[in-house]
Amino acid sequence: MTTTPATATPASTAPGAAATLAVRGLGRAYDDHYALVGLDAEFPAGTVTALLGPNGAGKSTLIGILSSRQSPSEGQVLFEGRRAHGGPAMRRRIGYVGHRTMVYGELTARENLRFFAQLFGIGDADARIDALLDRVGLARDKDRPVEGFSRGMAQRLTLARALLPEPSVLLLDEPLTGLDQAGVALALELFGSARDRGAALIMASHDLAATEKVADRALILANGRKCYEGPVQGDLAGLYAQAIAGELPAPVKGAA
Amino acid sequence: MSDQTSYLGVVKAVLLKDLRIELRSKETLATMGLFGLVMTFVLAFGFTADPATNRKVIPGALWTALLFAGVLGVGRTFAREAKDDAFTAMILSPAPRSAILLAKMVVNLLLSLSIVALVTPLFAVILQVDLTGELAGILGLLFLGATGFAVVGTPLAVMAVNARFAEVLLPMVVFPMVTPVLIGGVSGTAVLLGLVFAPDGLAPWVQGMVAFDVAFGVGALFLFEKMVTE
């Protein structure tokens, strides 16, 4: 599937062309401060990028912009080398896991996935839904209302919801929230599988030990600016500490 | 993947999802229905026992009940969407966003109409006013009014859903905006009941309400894409 001209225009900058997703000069301003400043980054296909940074670094803002939920104040997002506007063709190929479960408590697990399958226009989704629920360990609970689920079970369903359309980009904002050890292992396995079939994963998590097991690359932010972008080799916690040690002061709006 | 998302398919999916949840929880209907009932009785206690006098207050009482029950319902339906942020997952799907809004408008319209169906006969019985001759016309006006309320209240509820004090903010924003439709409804009902002299009959009020519904409905559907992007 390709992005349509209605939702994507040729990029003016070539470097992002190789990556599934890239940002160029991305900035986001709020009333009195910048959450992101002049960010350039790439998220190649078939990789997991660990998006790291202290609270308020701009991780959730970046994920919000990549998902099209938020608009940037400046700069651009490139999707497969073309400038992205967050249209349906792009949204069809993005899976999103946020801080909250993003499912309906009154519906069963299967009904939730059926509903989202309809929104994604996935025909004959029942077999795919049953296979996914089985994969995330909810086969026995698929016909139970989600409001009776534990937080970890609801998070497993959230992962299934995000993976349902087989996205080529997976945005993961604290995806391990509420998961027990087995759940974390399962989530990392699912992320690894998505990467192996060519998806670009961007994962923001404070669980560095778990993130290290699956991440190939890291993008480290502090105060809205990039401190490090590159491969993860060895100790992610050490890389993180080293990167933010040289962080720049917080950018304040209106300051010279 | 050759999957496609059809506009009507999305409207149907969101509509059925909301109705299924409502039928299971009965939360919004119970809240609105109870509020409508309480309001009916409170207003009835304030009126005289004279049906002729009661007939004069029916338009105001009926539309006040619809207005307050309506805003309660709109707020509740989006509180559910905000609870676990499922609304975000919905709008980040490739589904046409205006189709999602249209479905939510229809849901709110259906909820308001169910309250109309409950409250209108109750008012007639409690206030001992015979509305049989004018019932079809009154229900038609209430339909137009409920539509106006849904097309204004639904997008505003989306915008207010994550705001602090959303339950207070929403009525404060919605009430002034639906004033034209409220005036049309109350005045049209008064014309139907023969309470005011109207040389042009009901037509100007109906035309005004239809124009309001179409203008705000179409405007909201076009602007919704911008409304949901922060």
Side-chain angles (χ1 to χ4, degrees):
Chain A
M1 194 185 293
T2 56
T3 46
T4 62
T7 55
T9 51
S12 55
T13 47
T20 298
L21 207 55
V23 295
R24 294 280 171 265
L26 201 71
R28 169 72 197 209
Y30 290 104
D31 289 342
D32 59 348
H33 72 288
Y34 292 97
L36 286 174
V37 186
L39 181 67
D40 293 325
E42 295 192 357
F43 308 99
T47 61
V48 178
T49 302
L51 180 58
L52 306 176
N55 292 333
K59 305 185 297 291
S60 292
T61 300
L62 176 58
I63 286 182
I65 291 171
L66 294 176
S67 74
S68 79
R69 182 75 170 102
Q70 290 177 272
S71 55
S73 308
E74 55 196 49
Q76 56 190 25
V77 176
L78 307 179
F79 187 67
E80 293 179 338
R82 290 165 174 265
R83 185 167 183 175
H85 301 289
M90 181 182 167
R91 297 202 302 268
R92 185 182 302 281
R93 301 181 61 196
I94 292 183
Y96 181 88
V97 175
H99 287 224
R100 291 191 277 169
T101 57
M102 297 182 169
V103 289
Y104 295 94
E106 297 87 348
L107 300 182
T108 67
R110 193 194 249 169
E111 286 169 343
N112 265 292
L113 294 192
R114 268 193 194 141
F115 171 65
F116 286 105
Q118 286 170 316
L119 295 189
F120 276 84
I122 302 169
D124 298 326
D126 279 0
R128 200 192 295 186
I129 288 170
D130 284 346
L132 256 178
L133 287 172
D134 191 30
R135 182 115 195 253
V136 299
L138 292 175
R140 283 192 307 174
D141 299 291
K142 63 187 173 190
D143 293 318
R144 276 179 56 204
V146 174
E147 59 197 357
F149 281 15
S150 68
R151 181 66 176 85
M153 290 168 76
Q155 191 66 11
R156 286 169 182 246
L157 178 61
T158 300
L159 296 175
R161 175 190 56 71
L163 291 165
L164 182 65
E166 296 177 352
S168 44
V169 173
L170 204 46
L171 303 173
L172 306 163
D173 198 355
E174 296 295 344
L176 308 177
T177 305
L179 293 174
D180 56 15
Q181 267 191 322
V184 169
L186 171 73
L188 297 180
E189 186 191 319
L190 291 169
F191 301 157
S193 299
R195 174 189 52 200
D196 293 345
R197 65 166 172 74
L201 286 80
I202 298 133
M203 176 175 168
S205 174
H206 290 290
D207 187 343
L208 296 185
T211 305
E212 191 179 75
K213 290 178 184 165
V214 73
D216 316 288
R217 306 175 69 254
L219 172 63
I220 303 176
L221 304 177
N223 290 320
R225 291 192 171 104
K226 182 166 76 177
C227 298
Y228 174 84
E229 183 187 14
V232 173
Q233 287 160 341
D235 179 21
L236 186 61
L239 178 66
Y240 175 65
Q242 200 177 2
I244 64 166
E247 71 178 80
L248 296 165
V252 178
K253 226 176 152 183
Chain B
M1 206 191 310
S2 61
D3 304 327
Q4 290 298 318
T5 312
S6 80
Y7 196 93
L8 284 179
V10 171
V11 173
K12 186 181 162 195
V14 177
L15 185 62
L16 290 179
K17 180 266 296 175
D18 274 10
L19 292 179
R20 176 176 286 142
I21 289 176
E22 187 52 43
L23 287 175
R24 260 176 215 170
S25 69
K26 299 179 182 67
E27 187 184 315
T28 309
L29 265 180
T31 310
M32 290 172 78
L34 194 64
F35 185 83
L37 278 177
V38 169
M39 188 138 191
T40 308
F41 283 104
V42 168
L43 289 173
F45 287 137
F47 299 150
T48 67
D50 171 28
T53 309
N54 287 349
R55 191 175 175 84
K56 292 177 185 170
V57 297
I58 274 269
L62 205 53
W63 283 87
T64 307
L66 173 69
L67 186 70
F68 282 99
V71 80
L72 205 63
V74 168
R76 289 304 314 154
T77 55
F78 277 95
R80 176 184 297 142
E81 293 286 351
K83 194 172 127 200
D84 292 313
D85 205 19
F87 187 72
T88 295
M90 195 156 61
I91 61 163
L92 290 183
S93 76
R97 288 170 173 171
S98 64
I100 294 171
L101 178 67
L102 181 61
K104 303 296 281 185
M105 285 175 174
V106 174
V107 169
N108 285 323
L109 175 63
L110 291 176
L111 288 171
S112 291
L113 290 179
S114 61
I115 298 308
V116 164
L118 172 76
V119 166
T120 309
L122 206 62
F123 263 118
V125 170
I126 291 177
L127 300 177
Q128 302 165 50
V129 178
D130 182 9
L131 295 176
T132 44
E134 303 88 5
L135 190 61
I138 291 175
L139 289 178
L141 285 174
L142 286 169
F143 175 79
L144 289 176
T147 304
F149 198 83
V151 299
V152 170
T154 309
L156 289 176
V158 174
M159 293 171 76
V161 73
N162 287 319
R164 273 185 289 178
F165 311 116
E167 304 221 337
V168 179
L169 185 69
L170 188 61
M172 284 171 64
V173 180
V174 171
F175 287 161
M177 289 193 69
V178 295
T179 303
V181 92
L182 191 64
I183 292 171
V186 173
S187 304
T189 309
V191 170
L192 273 174
L193 294 174
L195 301 173
V196 292
F197 173 66
D200 297 326
L202 195 60
W205 301 114
V206 171
Q207 287 164 0
M209 291 173 81
V210 170
F212 181 96
D213 293 355
V214 171
F216 276 87
V218 173
L221 291 174
F222 272 106
L223 293 173
F224 191 60
E225 187 81 26
K226 290 278 178 204
M227 286 182 199
V228 293
T229 305
E230 293 170 13

